[in-house]
Amino acid sequence: QVQLVQSGAEVKKPGASVKVSCKASGYTFTGYYMHWVRQAPGQGLEWMGRINPNSGGTNYAQKFQGRVTMTRDTSISTAYMELSRLRSDDTAVYYCARDYAAAGTGGANWFDPWGQGTLVTVSS
Amino acid sequence: EIVLTQSPATLSLSPGERATLSCRASQSVSSYLAWYQQKPGQAPRLLIYDASNRATGIPARFSGSGSGTDFTLTISSLEPEDFAVYYCQQRSNFLFTFGPGTKVDIK
């Protein structure tokens, strides 16, 4: 079955960077966009961007432009999200989520399934 | 940016009752709206996409309707596992946004 397994929790100081990984299995990794969504404690969901694992092409939410970098390693079916210049309000659970439709269709930009989430805590 | 508003914020119901959740967009999103369910400590799960299509494996008691700016998620008869938070999401112009959520809790 399709599964996304993310890396473990991180604690970072303000101004640092964090890189979260998302290992995919159960499907053709290069065939579906991978999205990243975050959720601050007790808050709602916020889309950060997506990557086409086949081409490496990315689309980022304007809010995160210049601070986020999404990459992938197709040899190990893993997507990465790196967020730099961390602030306290970046404290959140970060999720990877596969697009619901194949990239060949342009993607659906609906998100399913999701990884288990990675808690990133930014604190001095 | 398209803003999604969900109502009510909390819905208190008993198992077996019908739940009706609302999502309103600040401008038309056509039928490009999805619904997700999130239980405590878990990742969200896609329930409905393109306003009215059930995702794979989603029970028939979940249904979605609407277009333009007004959308509804209906759970025809609440099961114990349906008590959760529900989010709507739109996918317009790479500014994908979510609503603030509706919590369905046990009365």
Side-chain angles (χ1 to χ4, degrees):
Chain A
Q1 77 282 18
V2 177
Q3 195 171 13
L4 303 175
V5 178
Q6 298 184 223
S7 49
E10 302 262 14
V11 179
K12 296 292 183 181
K13 293 193 182 303
S17 298
V18 68
K19 190 171 185 177
V20 178
S21 68
C22 171
K23 182 170 179 58
S25 61
Y27 72 99
T28 302
F29 177 67
T30 53
Y32 293 79
Y33 285 95
M34 190 72 77
H35 300 262
W36 290 88
V37 178
R38 76 177 187 179
Q39 185 171 37
Q43 302 300 309
L45 301 161
E46 183 173 35
W47 182 78
M48 300 179 69
R50 73 174 192 175
I51 183 168
N52 181 333
N54 187 43
S55 66
T58 55
N59 302 100
Y60 300 141
Q62 187 171 13
K63 175 177 179 177
F64 299 101
Q65 288 273 4
R67 279 212 304 146
V68 70
T69 304
M70 295 178 187
T71 57
R72 90 291 188 216
D73 183 338
T74 57
S75 68
I76 55 172
S77 299
T78 299
Y80 301 92
M81 186 284 300
E82 183 170 22
L83 189 63
S84 63
R85 303 193 300 278
L86 290 168
R87 308 184 292 256
S88 58
D89 62 358
D90 290 318
T91 294
V93 175
Y94 289 76
Y95 293 101
C96 60
R98 197 196 75 171
D99 199 291
Y100 191 63
T105 68
N109 299 313
W110 310 129
F111 316 132
D112 191 73
W114 297 55
Q116 85 275 18
T118 297
L119 175 61
V120 175
T121 303
V122 183
S123 174
S124 55
Chain B
E1 177 180 316
I2 296 174
V3 177
L4 299 178
T5 304
Q6 292 187 242
S7 62
T10 304
L11 194 54
S12 297
L13 295 168
S14 300
E17 288 194 294
R18 183 183 188 89
T20 302
L21 287 67
S22 175
C23 177
R24 176 164 290 177
S26 59
Q27 62 190 79
S28 177
V29 297
S30 185
S31 295
Y32 298 137
L33 190 105
W35 291 92
Y36 298 82
Q37 176 193 68
Q38 187 177 33
K39 298 178 182 179
Q42 296 185 18
R45 176 175 70 146
L46 178 66
L47 299 175
I48 301 288
Y49 66 95
D50 292 345
S52 61
N53 296 301
R54 273 189 303 277
T56 303
I58 301 303
R61 64 180 181 274
F62 292 92
S63 63
S65 63
S67 65
T69 60
D70 290 297
F71 300 86
T72 301
L73 173 69
T74 302
I75 310 171
S76 59
S77 178
L78 283 163
E79 297 287 339
E81 62 267 28
D82 299 336
F83 293 92
V85 179
Y86 292 84
Y87 295 96
C88 55
Q89 177 235 328
Q90 64 80 27
R91 60 156 196 167
S92 188
N93 298 328
F94 287 111
L95 291 173
F96 311 139
T97 54
F98 292 85
T102 291
K103 182 178 183 180
V104 179
D105 65 14
I106 300 175
K107 187 174 182 179

